[in-house]
Amino acid sequence: MSAESDLQPGQNLAHLLPPSWRGDVQRWFAEDTPSFDWAGFVVGEQEQEAILWGKSGGVVAGVPFFDEVFKQVDCKVEWLLPEGSVVPPNTKTKVAIVRGKARQLLLGERVALNTLARCSGIATVSRRFRDLARAEGWKGVVAGTRKTTPGFRLVEKYGMMVGGVDPHRHDLSSMVMLKDNHVWATGSITAAVKTVRRVAGFSLLVNVECQDYAEADEAIAAGANIVMLDNLVGEDLHGAARELKKKWKGQGREFLIETSGGIVEGSLTGRIGPDIDILSTSAVHQSCPHVDFSLKIQPKKQS
């Protein structure tokens, strides 16, 4: 797996996070410790040092969330591996050191580890997809989807970006996507595009899910910015994409072609090609194995 980052020196993905995200951490604590912290009573308030160990291979992702968890319990984190680094497989790697009172370290431990493990798992699979596409020489965009966990979307989209893939639309408000149900309810692709364009205005892209060449051609004619060729494979996919680019060349219509539906690592290379601009898949964030981390307080030497 490549350790190569697409970020320029000085760029930090944490700077993208909205001011409201820290409230998510408070909700995570409210879920994990809704009442008394019985076990925390046992360990007391002695200052301690804990090591964050990476125990399975993967990309480290979720640093700002991990930091904020421990900040809210008055602990400090020192990272030994920067975000985006690759923890080698089959090793036990020291990733960070967390310092604070014993009770506070254990209060934040599980919340921080769960978030880091999930975010890193998504970043790891995303990195593999990105590397596979680049190895084929493809210049298009690998993207995730909106099929994220309710209440955890920000973390999962962040993991995709650390891994090097496009997070796709973040919500229903950030891009118009007209799927089969929208078209069926409206009556036609043309009617759906024209109707939504009147209210969405010029600033939002319109993406239309299409089942074949004819639907994609209609969507482009109606003014779609992106046509998603859903579940098309082989020559059905590449032939349709090729003919669409050929037909509309020089006619003043600018559009992108997206392939989606059922894409996994083993089928990725068959879905990319010179006429495909975007490949979107939920495989980079659904059912991803977590990266295994543990946090261990270091025993203090007895005097």
Side-chain angles (χ1 to χ4, degrees), residues 7 60 79 81 83 88 93 120 144 154 160 214 231 239 241 266 284 287:
L7 295 176
V60 177
W79 289 93
L81 290 180
E83 189 164 64
T93 302
S120 297
L154 198 68
M160 295 178 216
N231 287 306
V284 299
S287 304

Side-chain angles (χ1 to χ4, degrees), residues 244-259:
L244 289 166
K245 292 287 181 76
K246 181 180 177 181
K247 174 180 177 178
W248 289 97
K249 184 177 181 180
Q251 295 196 43
R253 292 285 193 189
E254 294 186 3
F255 61 92
L256 299 173
I257 295 179
E258 177 178 354
T259 179

